[in-house]
Amino acid sequence: MALTPFFFGGDQSIFDPLDRFFEPSADRFPLWDNAPSRRFAQDVSAIASTRVDWVETPEAHIFKADLPGLKKEEVKVQVEDGRTLQISGERKKEEVEKTDKWHRVERTQGSFLRRFRLPENAKLEEVKAKVEDGVLTVTVPKIEKPKSEVKAIEISG
C-alpha cells in the first residue's frame, strides 16, 4: 500500500518518503550510471555485502554465506597461504534490452571476496563445501585434542 504525501511529489510510500528523493536516475543525472565512482561503489558493495556467519562447534568451524542465484560453478572456496580460507565468486550482470526502463537496481553484481584466518586447530586437509538453496556452507573440521591422562604418583616414605 502506497499512500502519497503531497509534499514529496505524490508517488512515495508513506513508509519511506525520502526513497526517491535521494535516488539518482538517468533523467536527473544522465552520466550517473557510467561514472567511475558508481562502478567502484558497486564493486565495494558486492564485496562488503557478502555476509558470512562463522560458528565454532566442538567438532568443526562452520562458515555460511548467503549467495542467492549463484551456481556452485560461480563460487570458489580455497585454503591459501597456510591457514587462510578464501570464498570468492562473481555475480554476472543480467542481459538488458535497450527498450527496458529500469526503475530500481538494488541487487549487487560483480566479484566478491571474503578471507578468514583459520585457527591452529583446523584440519585443512578435510575442508568440505556445499551449496544448498542459495547458502554456501564450508565445514572445517577441528583437530581433536588428545585427552589428558591423569597418572597417579606413588608417594614414598
Side-chain angles (χ1 to χ4, degrees), residues 15-145:
F15 299 109
D16 194 2
L18 298 178
D19 190 48
R20 283 200 50 191
F21 183 73
F22 290 112
E23 182 177 318
S25 70
D27 297 340
R28 287 182 247 159
F29 303 100
L31 299 176
W32 182 265
D33 288 334
N34 296 324
S37 60
R38 174 87 167 150
R39 283 193 303 268
F40 176 76
Q42 287 175 334
D43 291 343
V44 169
S45 174
I47 291 170
S49 69
T50 304
R51 307 277 188 212
V52 178
D53 295 338
W54 177 359
V55 63
E56 181 177 357
T57 67
E59 299 81 30
H61 295 274
I62 301 170
F63 298 83
K64 290 190 176 191
D66 290 335
L67 303 174
L70 290 181
K71 299 177 185 121
K72 68 179 187 176
E73 297 81 23
E74 298 171 318
V75 179
K76 272 183 166 177
V77 177
Q78 300 170 307
V79 176
E80 61 179 24
D81 297 330
R83 298 201 153 300
T84 303
L85 174 68
Q86 178 173 298
I87 301 171
S88 62
E90 183 174 6
R91 183 170 284 119
K92 304 248 191 268
K93 190 172 184 176
E94 289 185 24
E95 293 291 322
V96 187
E97 297 292 326
K98 293 288 184 189
T99 58
D100 292 346
K101 180 180 178 184
W102 288 80
H103 294 277
R104 182 177 299 272
V105 177
E106 293 183 344
R107 296 182 304 145
T108 57
Q109 53 201 331
S111 299
F112 63 90
L113 171 71
R114 295 294 307 270
R115 288 189 175 129
F116 302 93
R117 182 81 173 148
L118 296 172
E120 293 293 324
N121 66 350
K123 283 186 182 177
L124 303 177
E125 61 280 350
E126 295 182 26
V127 176
K128 290 184 173 49
K130 70 176 182 175
V131 175
E132 188 175 318
D133 296 329
V135 178
L136 171 70
T137 302
V138 179
T139 304
V140 182
K142 291 167 58 175
I143 297 170
E144 294 179 29
K145 290 182 182 177

